Amino acid sequence: MYTREGKMKAVFAFYLSCLLSFSYALSSNKIGINYGRLGDNLPSPYQSIELLTSMKVGHVKLYDANPEVLKLLSGTNLHVSIMVPNEQISAIASNQTQADQWVDQNVLAYYPTTKIRFVLVGNEVFSTNDLKLWLDLVPAMKNIKTSLTGHNVHNIKVGTPLAMDVLESTFPPSSGKFRSDIPIQVILSLMKFLNGTKSFFFIDAYTYFAWSDNPTNISLDSALLKDGNVTYVDTESGLNYTNLLDQMLDSVHFAMGKLGFDNVRIAISETGWPHAGDIDQTGANAYNAETYIRNLVRKVTSYPPIGTPAKPGIEIPTFIFSLYDENQKPGAGTERHWGLLNNNGRPIYEVDLTGTSPVNNDTHLTESINNNKPYKGKIWCVVASDASLAELEPALDFACRQGNGTCDELAPGKGCYEPVSVVDHASYAFSSYWAKFRSDGASCYFNGLAVQTITDPSKSWIMPIPKCVDLKMVLWILLLES
């Protein structure tokens, strides 16, 4: 028989175990996944939600409020974040009725059986050059919140995902401050709204981009969250940093603190690592991707929470980018290779997203890694083998219309006019365009019609081109410097 004291100890132990179990459930349930659908070869929404459920994630973030997806999420345990597209922000900001209609159609039509938890207004708004959009952002957020409150919905937070370029300074972390070109009243109104509604500052934080832009001075181990291998001390704050993600997050914390908002919590709306990319995209491989995601999951699901050096012990809700490779995303090769799953729903690499597996610093992948240093050879941008001839002509026309002498040598009588072939002319135009405009952000993509190659395309042509004396000179401009 238990004594009274023994019973009390047993009850206390029981409640303590329940509390710990509940706390751990919250911790292991923080991981979310971004479910983008910019692909023509992806599993159906039904299959995708089945896959998300099987992966045991707690949250899914959408880039819209797709009716089919929201209906299929009904009755699941997934907590859902939906998004107001950028192009709808101004209308919602200017008219409460527009906000009410949006909430009626995209929230109330599915809630509460679909567990909508966040309405995100816009996506990386301050990365655009649209001043009106900047000014309309917070009014739109306020109108959405007013509409939700008017329907007695109080457990849906309103926020907006921002890129790291919202900051003017990020290193050292203590120097973090918001960009001076963003009107201070915009930033202050955003911070007041988030603070007053107890919402999160959503940030898209990619250590891959920071590292790959400066692999000489930034440690790969730090970017991959291999804590303990590298330590950096912020001499202003005195804080020690063992990984690049903490430095990035704390630069946001310091920026908010300088405006008097120390209590607004951060959520990571996007983070990840590309498992493949273009030849010149350093470090984009599956080994690094698996390592990053494994270390990220361990960090954000730890109990008690780890937090960051400036904000220790806080939980950081985190959404991994992304569920799939999306083959219709424009831009450089990495844009289409962030997925955890390929288009048949199979994992590209093995990662336990619950954080319950034993800690293991080694990845399952054993292939050799050969692109962790900048590529130093020659690269050409040529027509892809499966490119549609019908689509090549408008792409060729686009490249040549950009001027700057891109296609001068393709004119009749010029050195590269012969052979008269859409494919050969397009390969020349693509490489010439890329060489001339790459520093301005141009990519070797052309809506999937172009690919990079390290094989000199002139050697594969059926007809010799003795007149095209400038071709190699144009193409070899793409020699990458170390």
Side-chain angles (χ1 to χ4, degrees):
M1 294 289 293
Y2 282 113
T3 63
R4 183 174 181 274
E5 181 181 3
K7 287 180 179 180
M8 292 183 66
K9 288 181 177 179
V11 170
F12 176 79
F14 171 79
Y15 280 109
L16 179 61
S17 68
C18 289
L19 179 61
L20 291 175
S21 298
F22 178 67
S23 299
Y24 181 77
L26 284 176
S27 179
S28 63
N29 205 36
K30 285 199 303 294
I31 286 289
I33 293 183
N34 286 274
Y35 174 24
R37 295 179 292 112
L38 289 178
D40 60 7
N41 60 354
L42 302 180
S44 70
Y46 175 82
Q47 293 171 306
S48 300
I49 292 165
E50 290 288 307
L51 288 166
L52 285 165
T53 301
S54 69
M55 296 165 76
K56 299 180 181 179
V57 297
H59 302 259
V60 58
K61 176 168 157 276
L62 310 178
Y63 289 88
D64 53 19
N66 181 271
E68 180 185 8
V69 176
L70 289 175
K71 286 178 183 176
L72 289 169
L73 284 165
S74 175
T76 71
N77 287 322
L78 287 165
H79 292 184
V80 183
S81 299
I82 60 176
M83 187 173 288
V84 177
N86 286 4
E87 57 269 21
Q88 296 182 29
I89 288 176
S90 292
I92 290 173
S94 64
N95 191 317
Q96 183 63 51
T97 300
Q98 290 277 355
D100 293 340
Q101 290 176 353
W102 196 94
V103 169
D104 284 342
Q105 295 169 6
N106 300 289
V107 178
L108 301 179
Y110 312 101
Y111 176 88
T113 55
T114 297
K115 296 181 179 179
I116 299 172
R117 292 294 179 262
F118 292 104
V119 173
L120 302 177
V121 180
N123 192 39
E124 299 186 347
V125 166
F126 297 129
S127 299
T128 73
N129 294 317
D130 190 338
L131 178 59
K132 184 177 185 331
L133 190 63
W134 298 1
L135 295 172
D136 287 340
L137 175 61
V138 179
M141 295 171 70
K142 289 179 177 177
N143 284 351
I144 292 289
K145 184 64 177 177
T146 297
S147 182
L148 291 170
T149 303
H151 287 93
N152 204 32
V153 177
H154 301 287
N155 65 339
I156 295 180
K157 300 292 186 183
V158 178
T160 184
L162 301 174
M164 285 297 299
D165 66 4
V166 71
L167 299 187
E168 187 169 274
S169 175
T170 61
F171 185 83
S174 59
S175 74
K177 63 179 179 178
F178 291 104
R179 284 194 348 240
S180 56
D181 64 310
I182 304 173
I184 187 62
Q185 67 266 27
V186 172
I187 292 295
L188 284 175
S189 62
L190 173 62
M191 296 309 307
K192 288 176 182 176
F193 175 83
L194 297 178
N195 187 57
T197 61
K198 294 182 170 51
S199 189
F200 292 85
F201 189 106
F202 285 90
I203 189 75
D204 296 348
Y206 289 97
T207 64
Y208 169 76
F209 289 126
W211 169 79
S212 62
D213 284 345
N214 191 9
T216 301
N217 295 318
I218 296 178
S219 160
L220 177 59
D221 281 354
S222 176
L224 293 175
L225 315 187
K226 291 185 175 181
D227 288 350
N229 289 6
V230 180
T231 299
Y232 165 75
V233 179
D234 185 329
T235 54
E236 181 66 26
S237 67
L239 297 173
N240 293 328
Y241 290 90
T242 59
N243 68 73
L244 184 56
L245 183 62
D246 279 347
Q247 294 182 44
M248 295 170 73
L249 297 180
D250 273 353
S251 68
V252 180
H253 282 132
F254 277 104
M256 293 192 294
K258 288 171 184 174
L259 297 179
F261 296 94
D262 287 308
N263 296 322
V264 175
R265 290 179 55 193
I266 281 179
I268 302 175
S269 41
E270 289 184 12
T271 190
W273 195 284
H275 62 83
D278 291 331
I279 295 167
D280 59 331
Q281 293 192 283
T282 309
N285 59 66
Y287 186 95
N288 288 346
E290 181 180 347
T291 302
Y292 179 81
I293 297 298
R294 184 184 302 278
N295 290 335
L296 172 76
V297 171
R298 186 171 72 245
K299 173 180 173 59
V300 300
T301 61
S302 293
Y303 184 80
I306 296 174
T308 68
K311 296 288 184 179
I314 61 168
E315 291 185 350
I316 305 173
T318 299
F319 293 85
I320 294 171
F321 187 84
S322 59
L323 182 60
Y324 299 121
D325 282 354
E326 297 171 70
N327 68 347
Q328 293 183 319
K329 291 196 69 178
T334 51
E335 288 298 311
R336 294 171 291 284
H337 293 95
W338 292 88
L340 297 174
L341 308 178
N342 58 30
N343 59 12
N344 64 10
R346 294 184 178 277
I348 293 169
Y349 48 85
E350 296 294 334
V351 175
D352 168 30
L353 298 180
T354 68
T356 58
S357 293
V359 174
N360 183 358
N361 290 325
D362 298 323
T363 70
H364 291 96
L365 299 174
T366 57
E367 68 231 34
S368 61
I369 305 305
N370 56 15
N371 74 337
N372 282 341
K373 294 183 179 179
Y375 183 76
K376 297 181 180 181
K378 301 179 182 69
I379 304 174
W380 292 266
C381 181
V382 299
V383 172
S385 60
D386 58 350
S388 163
L389 289 177
E391 295 176 350
L392 269 184
E393 289 198 35
L396 171 60
D397 180 61
F398 166 81
C400 293
R401 278 190 288 107
Q402 305 311 305
N404 201 19
T406 299
C407 296
D408 287 358
E409 288 299 312
L410 294 177
K414 293 289 187 176
C416 298
Y417 177 65
E418 296 180 352
V420 183
S421 157
V422 173
V423 173
D424 290 334
H425 279 204
S427 284
Y428 177 93
F430 290 172
S431 281
S432 179
Y433 169 87
W434 192 41
K436 294 177 186 297
F437 298 104
R438 185 178 173 206
S439 61
D440 297 326
S443 63
C444 176
Y445 180 59
F446 291 92
N447 291 324
L449 300 175
V451 294
Q452 290 185 7
T453 180
I454 58 175
T455 302
D456 184 344
S458 66
K459 294 179 181 179
S460 64
W461 287 330
I462 297 174
M463 295 179 61
I465 311 177
K467 289 185 179 180
C468 196
V469 293
D470 292 332
L471 178 60
K472 288 186 178 179
M473 292 178 64
V474 171
L475 299 179
W476 287 354
I477 293 174
L478 304 177
L479 176 65
L480 301 182
E481 300 295 336
S482 59

